[in-house]
Amino acid sequence: MALALALPVSLVTIAILVTAVLLATLACALDTLWLTDRAPSWKIMLASWSALLILGWLVGGPFTSYYKTHYLRAFFIASTSMEPTLAKGDFVLTNNSAYRTDGPRRGDIIVFKYPLDERREFVKRVVGLPGDRLEIRSNRLIVNGNPLEEAYVKPSVASTFQGGPLTSCGYAHGCDPTVVPADSYFVLGDNREHSQDSRYWGFVRRDKIVGRAFAIYWSWDPELERPRVDRVGKDL
C-alpha cells in the first residue's frame, strides 16, 4: 500500500493495483488446486507463495500476517532437542497449509503450540498417530506391538533405542500401553536424552499444530560464531 500511495494516480498506479489483484486471484486458484494434494509440486508452491509474498509487499502488514499464519513461515531452532536432524542455530521454513485436509504422517517434523504454555512454540517429530497403541521401555519406542525403527535418533542413544531388555521407563506418558486419542499426536525429540516432549506433558492436538517444517534455509553455529553452509538447503 505504501508503494501505491507513493506513486501518482496514473496508469502506472492502476497497473500495479490490477497486477496485485491478478496475483491474488492466481494464488487463490493455485491454492485451491492442491487442497486434496498431500505433496504439491514445488512449482505450484513457489508460484503461489511468490504471488502471496508480492501482494503482501504491496498491501502491507495485515496481508503479510495472514500469509505467515496460513502459508509460509520461518522458525528458529533454539535448543538441541532435535539433534542431529535440527541443530541449535538452524533456521527452518514451515508449510502452514500442509495439514488442512490430512493430518501429519509418522516421521513428520512439526511446529506446534506448547500445550503447557501456548505462547511458546515447539518443534518435534511425530511418532504416534491417532489410534496408535504405544509404549516406551528402556528408551525403546514400541508402536502397535512393534519396535519403531528410528534412524534419525541421535547416535548417542540409538543403540539403547534399538536393543536391550525392555525393563524400565520413568516418564509421565508412555510407560504403560497408551492409545493416542483422536485428533491428537505423540511427538518426541530426536535427541531423546535432552528433549521435553510427549513423554512428559502428553499429546499434541491437531488444532494446535502450526505447520510442517520442510527445509533449513540458514544455519548459524552459536559456539563458533560462523555460518554452517553445509546445512543450508537441507530437506526435512
Side-chain angles (χ1 to χ4, degrees):
M1 184 61 73
L3 177 62
L5 292 177
L7 296 173
V9 179
S10 63
L11 290 177
V12 175
T13 305
I14 295 174
I16 291 175
L17 294 176
V18 170
T19 300
V21 172
L22 291 176
L23 287 173
T25 303
L26 173 63
C28 292
L30 292 173
D31 187 49
T32 302
L33 284 176
W34 85 53
L35 278 174
T36 58
D37 191 343
R38 185 65 179 77
S41 74
W42 68 268
K43 293 180 180 179
I44 291 180
M45 296 179 72
L46 179 62
S48 179
W49 284 348
S50 296
L52 290 166
L53 184 61
I54 292 171
L55 186 60
W57 176 63
L58 292 172
V59 174
F63 193 86
T64 302
S65 177
Y66 178 86
Y67 171 83
K68 290 180 178 179
T69 301
H70 294 85
Y71 293 93
L72 181 69
R73 191 181 139 196
F75 187 82
F76 174 67
I77 305 302
S79 76
T80 62
S81 69
M82 281 297 292
E83 289 183 345
T85 309
L86 294 174
K88 185 177 181 180
D90 282 348
F91 293 78
V92 302
L93 293 174
T94 63
N95 178 1
N96 294 355
S97 63
Y99 302 128
R100 288 179 303 175
T101 55
D102 297 319
R105 294 176 292 186
R106 197 184 327 279
D108 282 2
I109 298 175
I110 63 172
V111 175
F112 56 92
K113 295 183 182 299
Y114 178 40
L116 302 184
D117 183 359
E118 294 189 3
R119 295 170 298 179
R120 303 170 62 190
E121 293 177 344
F122 277 16
V123 56
K124 304 292 178 188
R125 189 184 296 273
V126 174
V127 297
L129 305 178
D132 278 349
R133 185 175 183 269
L134 55 83
E135 60 181 312
I136 300 170
R137 286 290 182 272
S138 298
N139 287 333
R140 193 176 183 186
L141 179 62
I142 303 171
V143 179
N144 298 324
N146 299 307
L148 186 65
E149 296 294 330
E150 299 185 285
Y152 43 76
V153 171
K154 190 170 183 177
S156 63
V157 295
S159 58
T160 306
F161 265 76
Q162 297 302 323
L166 307 183
T167 57
S168 62
C169 191
Y171 307 114
H173 302 271
C175 290
D176 297 319
T178 303
V179 176
V180 181
D183 292 323
S184 297
Y185 298 85
F186 198 85
V187 300
L188 296 176
D190 290 354
N191 186 0
R192 300 288 160 83
E193 292 180 344
H194 301 282
S195 175
Q196 285 288 325
D197 45 42
S198 288
R199 295 172 294 177
Y200 301 96
W201 38 254
F203 307 99
V204 175
R205 298 206 318 266
R206 181 174 174 176
D207 61 355
K208 300 302 179 181
I209 297 175
V210 175
R212 178 177 64 84
F214 67 91
I216 299 172
Y217 72 91
W218 183 247
S219 183
W220 178 263
D221 191 320
E223 294 183 0
L224 299 179
E225 297 186 343
R226 67 185 184 189
R228 290 179 289 221
V229 180
D230 60 315
R231 297 187 63 80
V232 176
K234 178 181 177 183
D235 292 330
L236 301 174

